[in-house]
């Protein structure tokens, strides 16, 4: 399964470049509330909180808009089927599903790697 992971041996400096890359990719603006990952306080420092592709969002989606890609294992949201109910956001254990008011369509990490490439410390990586 393909997923975004946080390296354990590298310290996040909370520069938000990963957050910037994600929100710019989805919404063409820098807004931390619109990024599909968050930087959270962690043991006196900071740590990226990312989607672990657990599938709880798919189980909660009443419209069947979230499905798992059989090749990559990544859960993806079909924007045409998403009704913006927010059930996926409610059940996400890591609080990394975004549901902006202006679009009323949920967004989540699809393990594209843009955030990992933007991180100057190399904290994030895509693993198969």
């Amino acid at each position: 399964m393909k997923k975004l992971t946080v390296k354990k041996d590298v310290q996040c400096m909370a520069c938000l470049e990963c957050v910037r890359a994600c929100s710019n990719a989805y919404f063409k603006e820098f807004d931390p509330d619109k990024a599909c990952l968050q930087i959270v306080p962690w043991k006196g420092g900071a740590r990226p909180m990312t989607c672990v592709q657990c599938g709880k969002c798919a189980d909660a989606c009443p419209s069947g808009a979230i499905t798992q890609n059989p090749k990559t294992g990544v859960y993806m949201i079909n924007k045409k089927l998403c009704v913006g109910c927010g059930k996926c956001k409610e059940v996400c254990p890591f609080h990394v599903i975004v549901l902006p008011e202006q679009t009323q369509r949920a967004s989540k990490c699809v393990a594209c790697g843009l955030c990992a490439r933007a991180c100057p410390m190399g904290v994030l990586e895509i693993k198969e």
Side-chain angles (χ1 to χ4, degrees), residues 1-111:
M1 175 191 327
K2 180 179 171 182
K3 67 181 181 177
L4 177 67
T5 63
V6 179
K7 293 179 186 175
K8 296 187 185 324
D9 58 340
V10 184
Q11 180 64 40
C12 172
M13 61 183 195
C15 67
L16 301 181
E17 287 305 312
C18 58
V19 172
R20 178 185 309 278
C22 184
S23 70
N24 279 336
Y26 277 103
F27 299 100
K28 308 297 183 233
E29 67 175 310
F30 175 52
D31 183 343
D33 293 333
K34 293 179 181 173
C36 300
L37 77 159
Q38 299 295 317
I39 303 300
V40 297
W42 185 264
K43 297 180 181 178
R47 180 184 199 282
M49 189 62 61
T50 65
C51 176
V52 298
Q53 307 298 335
C54 68
K56 290 182 181 182
C57 55
D59 294 339
C61 181
S63 64
I66 305 175
T67 56
Q68 188 176 29
N69 181 309
K71 290 183 180 178
T72 64
V74 173
Y75 286 89
M76 303 181 83
I77 300 173
N78 182 327
K79 303 289 186 193
K80 292 178 182 174
L81 296 178
C82 178
V83 296
C85 69
K87 300 252 189 244
C88 58
K89 184 174 179 169
E90 290 172 14
V91 301
C92 179
F94 301 102
H95 311 288
V96 290
I97 292 185
V98 180
L99 185 62
E101 288 180 25
Q102 68 271 31
T103 64
Q104 284 302 300
R105 299 291 183 265
S107 294
K108 67 171 292 302
C109 178
V110 294

